[in-house]
Amino acid sequence: MIPSVQIKGVREGLLVTLGDGDWPAMLAALLSHIDKQVDFLRGGKIYIDVGSQVLHAIELSRLRDAVSERGLNLWGVLSNSPTTEQTAQLLGLATRLSRPSRQTQFRESSAPDTNLQDGEAAVMVRRTLRSGYSLRHANHVVVIGDVNPGAEIIAGGSVVVWGKLRGVVHAGSEGDTNATVSALDFSPTQLRIAGEIAQFAGKRGKPQPESARIVDDKVVVEAWNPGKK
Amino acid sequence: MAAKVITITSGKGGVGKTTATANLAVALASMGDKVVCIDADIGLRNLDVVLGLENRIVYDLVDIVEGRCRLRQAMIRDKRLSDLYLIPAAQTRDKTAVSPNDMVRLCNELRPDYHFILIDSPAGIERGFRNSIAPSDSVVVITNPEVSAVRDADRIIGLVEAEEKGPAQLIINRLKPEMVKRGDMLAIDDVLELLAVDLLGIVPEDDQVLMAGNRGNPVAFDSKGLAGQAFRNIARRLKGEQVPFIDLAKNDGLFGRITRIFRPGGY
């Protein structure tokens, strides 16, 4: 069976949709497709929808290099697989066609339910999120590491950072006002919980664990005090 | 001989990538290593100027890649240091004239005959940056003690990690010890705390660096200045030596600074 490759023009550039199948075969099919129309495609911005393929950094960077050798620019990789999406983001590729509006922040496949309960699914990331990294997840997010300025976390539920929080965090991004944001060193560039926005000015004394939540339609930040509560 | 390919990059422009590349190349070559510098900033070439080799360019990187000349024909040998070579960038083309695979092939061809290949990356995170890091064995990120430069360095370090090029090493360039002391500049500790990578060296701000660059005669030729000394120390660290850091903030009375100026080698 010859793997299917569809190329169509969209507002943002060219959208290539790959069918299901073995990745090396898909890649070969894609490249031969591009080679056939190289004069037509040269210089184009392309987005590739890889469906549910699970691709790691090596495969994606090979794909990107192969595409750029043919004079095209790989701008984005669209995928249902969270691994592929994360890898694409790591490599600085877009993972959707245009900036999502608030309603479509998450793909349908991972549509969140807005009433997250304790014990529900969360994603745990054991690394420092550097500038430019965007972590989006429908449920809770736990980061073991720092969140540097210029990095962002957008979570349907709560966010816990076991490290320094300096970037932008949006918890309860689908409107969950019970979401909280906690960090060992709490100094985000900007913090949003559901529809509320708060900013934090510069350094404030000695870092201590703090947690933010919404009280009476306002974001309130409190020191974490395990003795009380 | 199996050369080590080191890419020098920064994200932000104007922090001193080209100056650092030129000085590290000079420092390494004057220690007896065979060094090739590659200017990957196609369309905005500068390394030839800083090294003072501009008027000797016949062929360039794009000529090699497109087969108009042999690799050795495009390599300019420095007249002051016979172990220093430059492959200049093309000025009339752009970054898309070269692909990451071209860079890998080129470096593999050079590897057996040299000790170090230094690649001067263009600013930005696009094609030119990807060309520059594709062949590298290790990546050196340059930053200034300035919030925007550090932010960009952080992004670059993330991209280098994503490319699985191992942990990047950091050079903090253009540090003004007096300003750090007054609290007007980011302190080294703040930069390191944020970036969380190994520090390869700190280069103090020094007017001589700029003047020397204009003359095409990098400061590392002259071992007396603080910046030249700092680049030489970084070169030794690249060779795997343990070199103590210059204490830039020590005894910073006016007297202390004057005595240090008159006491070369006593840093």
Side-chain angles (χ1 to χ4, degrees):
Chain A
M1 192 194 92
I2 297 165
S4 81
V5 177
Q6 282 179 6
I7 302 185
K8 67 172 183 182
V10 290
R11 189 160 46 95
E12 294 80 8
L14 294 160
L15 175 63
V16 179
T17 309
L18 301 180
D20 284 326
D22 176 43
W23 176 247
M26 293 308 311
L27 181 62
L30 169 67
L31 294 179
S32 76
H33 218 85
I34 293 176
D35 285 334
K36 267 183 238 157
Q37 316 181 38
V38 71
D39 292 322
F40 172 64
L41 297 173
R42 181 170 294 136
K45 269 165 91 169
I46 72 165
Y47 291 80
I48 300 183
D49 188 342
V50 298
S52 53
Q53 294 273 2
V54 177
L55 301 176
H56 298 282
I58 297 207
E59 287 129 347
L60 273 188
S61 54
R62 285 215 184 111
L63 167 67
R64 187 189 58 192
D65 293 346
V67 167
S68 67
E69 275 207 336
R70 286 160 178 81
L72 279 75
N73 295 314
L74 181 61
W75 276 71
V77 169
L78 283 59
S79 173
N80 299 322
S81 146
T83 314
T84 310
E85 273 204 325
Q86 275 209 11
T87 317
Q89 286 174 354
L90 271 173
L91 291 174
L93 298 166
T95 50
R96 39 182 62 74
L97 278 177
S98 53
R99 262 197 97 72
S101 63
R102 288 207 44 172
Q103 286 75 20
T104 58
Q105 223 142 35
F106 301 105
R107 292 173 155 265
E108 290 90 316
S109 60
S110 57
D113 67 79
T114 44
N115 301 308
L116 292 165
Q117 299 294 317
D118 287 345
E120 274 188 57
V123 65
M124 182 151 98
V125 181
R126 285 174 192 271
R127 60 197 298 274
T128 287
L129 308 190
R130 295 188 180 274
S131 177
Y133 189 88
S134 172
L135 176 62
R136 287 159 191 264
H137 187 71
N139 293 330
H140 308 299
V141 170
V142 179
V143 176
I144 299 185
D146 297 341
V147 179
N148 284 354
E152 64 175 13
I153 299 175
I154 296 169
S158 294
V159 175
V160 177
V161 178
W162 188 262
K164 295 186 274 280
L165 172 54
R166 304 269 171 81
V168 173
V169 174
H170 191 177
S173 62
E174 300 293 303
D176 178 6
T177 51
N178 292 320
T180 62
V181 177
S182 316
L184 289 185
D185 177 352
F186 192 93
S187 33
T189 316
Q190 195 191 80
L191 178 72
R192 290 178 228 164
I193 300 179
E196 305 302 321
I197 301 184
Q199 284 158 32
F200 295 86
K203 282 188 183 170
R204 305 155 302 144
K206 203 176 164 216
Q208 55 170 343
E210 286 174 296
S211 182
R213 63 196 168 98
I214 290 186
V215 179
D216 299 331
D217 295 338
K218 280 211 172 66
V219 177
V220 175
V221 182
E222 290 165 321
W224 176 252
N225 193 337
K228 287 194 213 153
K229 192 145 185 179
Chain B
M1 216 185 286
K4 189 173 182 195
V5 182
I6 301 172
T7 300
I8 291 141
T9 186
S10 70
K12 189 173 179 298
V15 296
K17 289 177 292 296
T18 301
T19 311
T21 309
N23 279 291
L24 293 178
V26 164
L28 287 166
S30 58
M31 285 185 258
D33 286 305
K34 289 173 76 98
V35 184
V36 186
C37 323
I38 304 176
D39 190 348
D41 202 348
I42 301 163
L44 291 167
R45 74 174 177 210
N46 284 140
L47 186 57
D48 51 325
V49 179
V50 176
L51 281 170
L53 300 172
E54 188 185 16
N55 52 13
R56 294 180 50 204
I57 296 175
V58 180
Y59 294 111
D60 57 46
L61 182 60
V62 176
D63 291 322
I64 303 173
V65 167
E66 295 183 349
R68 277 188 296 277
C69 70
R70 283 176 293 110
L71 174 55
R72 313 282 153 174
Q73 283 179 295
M75 292 171 63
I76 304 169
R77 184 182 205 155
D78 192 289
K79 287 194 171 126
R80 299 154 292 191
L81 290 164
S82 58
D83 289 329
L84 176 61
Y85 297 82
L86 168 71
I87 298 178
Q91 183 70 334
T92 52
R93 300 289 292 276
D94 64 31
K95 315 288 188 256
T96 56
V98 172
S99 76
N101 280 349
D102 292 331
M103 293 296 287
V104 172
R105 276 196 293 273
L106 185 88
C107 287
N108 285 343
E109 204 180 328
L110 290 168
R111 268 177 214 268
D113 302 325
Y114 300 91
H115 294 106
F116 287 96
I117 299 169
L118 302 186
I119 301 174
D120 181 20
S121 157
I125 54 173
E126 295 84 15
R127 179 69 172 266
F129 165 73
R130 286 196 260 117
N131 285 343
S132 306
I133 64 164
S136 68
D137 299 321
S138 76
V139 177
V140 172
V141 174
I142 312 256
T143 192
N144 294 157
E146 176 195 323
V147 176
S148 56
V150 172
R151 188 73 57 89
D152 289 359
D154 189 38
R155 174 99 164 102
I156 286 289
I157 292 166
L159 292 172
V160 170
E161 281 170 1
E163 298 277 350
E164 288 157 8
K165 290 289 178 186
Q169 291 176 294
L170 187 74
I171 295 178
I172 301 177
N173 195 17
R174 310 191 70 170
L175 185 92
K176 292 187 181 173
E178 321 87 79
M179 280 185 77
V180 172
K181 237 176 140 210
R182 291 204 305 269
D184 294 335
M185 209 175 224
L186 281 177
I188 296 162
D189 290 346
D190 294 341
V191 177
L192 291 179
E193 190 204 334
L194 182 80
L195 297 180
V197 289
D198 283 344
L199 181 65
L200 196 58
I202 301 163
V203 182
E205 174 83 2
D206 186 344
D207 291 345
Q208 280 185 7
V209 175
L210 189 93
M211 280 146 51
N214 289 343
R215 283 199 306 268
N217 190 23
V219 286
F221 274 119
D222 153 38
S223 62
K224 291 189 197 68
L226 260 186
Q229 182 66 37
F231 279 122
R232 282 174 170 266
N233 284 352
I234 293 168
R236 286 167 64 195
R237 290 186 197 113
L238 284 176
K239 284 162 65 82
E241 284 181 47
Q242 295 286 330
V243 187
F245 284 91
I246 302 174
D247 195 345
L248 295 165
K250 216 169 96 183
N251 53 24
D252 251 331
L254 181 61
F255 180 70
R257 254 178 285 151
I258 291 171
T259 47
R260 273 189 299 143
I261 289 165
F262 288 105
R263 202 158 39 94
Y267 311 116

